[in-house]
Amino acid sequence: MTQQGAVLQGYNNELVKCIEDLCMQKEELNKQIQQAEEEKNKLQHEIQVLSEQLECVCENLAQKVASRNELDKILAETEAAYMKILDSSRTLLNVLKKEVGSLKRSPDLKTN
């Protein structure tokens, strides 16, 4: 009977050791889970901050693109008007040259 008690005591010691090992594994796993949750929360916060920054950049970009488009329109209109002014100036110059040429050939100017 004593031998059976010793065997039983050996089993009990092994069982206690296995339970202690499992408890240590559980504690380690709990630490890893807690670290992973903290990392997840940190990353989610960073994502939120970056999303807000991205939204601001996108809004700013849209405003700048709209301003550029408006400037392109104004530039095109201004260039077109300037080309009309150049064309009118050329026409005026040609008319003036013809008039001056006509005046030089006029008999009234030759007598003076």
Side-chain angles (χ1 to χ4, degrees):
M1 201 59 159
T2 310
Q3 182 150 358
Q4 290 174 340
V7 170
L8 185 58
Q9 184 64 37
Y11 290 157
N12 186 46
N13 289 343
E14 268 189 71
L15 184 59
V16 167
K17 174 79 170 112
C18 285
I19 290 172
E20 287 174 351
D21 287 345
L22 287 174
C23 286
M24 286 175 40
Q25 287 178 9
K26 179 185 172 188
E27 286 178 30
E28 179 61 31
L29 194 56
N30 279 339
K31 286 179 188 176
Q32 291 174 2
I33 289 170
Q34 184 178 1
Q35 289 173 346
E37 286 176 346
E38 288 172 2
E39 180 69 15
K40 180 188 93 167
N41 291 336
K42 177 185 167 195
L43 291 172
Q44 283 178 330
H45 176 71
E46 289 176 8
I47 288 170
Q48 181 181 357
V49 168
L50 289 173
S51 293
E52 290 170 3
Q53 289 176 350
L54 178 62
E55 185 178 337
C56 288
V57 168
C58 287
E59 288 174 7
N60 191 318
L61 178 62
Q63 290 172 352
K64 288 182 180 189
V65 166
S67 293
R68 184 192 59 195
N69 291 343
E70 185 64 25
L71 286 173
D72 283 345
K73 179 183 170 186
I74 291 169
L75 244 162
E77 291 171 355
T78 303
E79 287 174 349
Y82 184 69
M83 293 306 290
K84 286 180 182 179
I85 290 170
L86 286 178
D87 191 44
S88 295
S89 294
R90 184 174 15 97
T91 302
L92 178 60
L93 181 61
N94 289 337
V95 168
L96 185 61
K97 284 180 180 180
K98 284 181 185 178
E99 290 295 322
V100 168
S102 294
L103 286 176
K104 285 183 181 177
R105 285 183 291 221
S106 170
D108 293 336
L109 285 180
K110 289 184 180 178
T111 58
N112 285 343

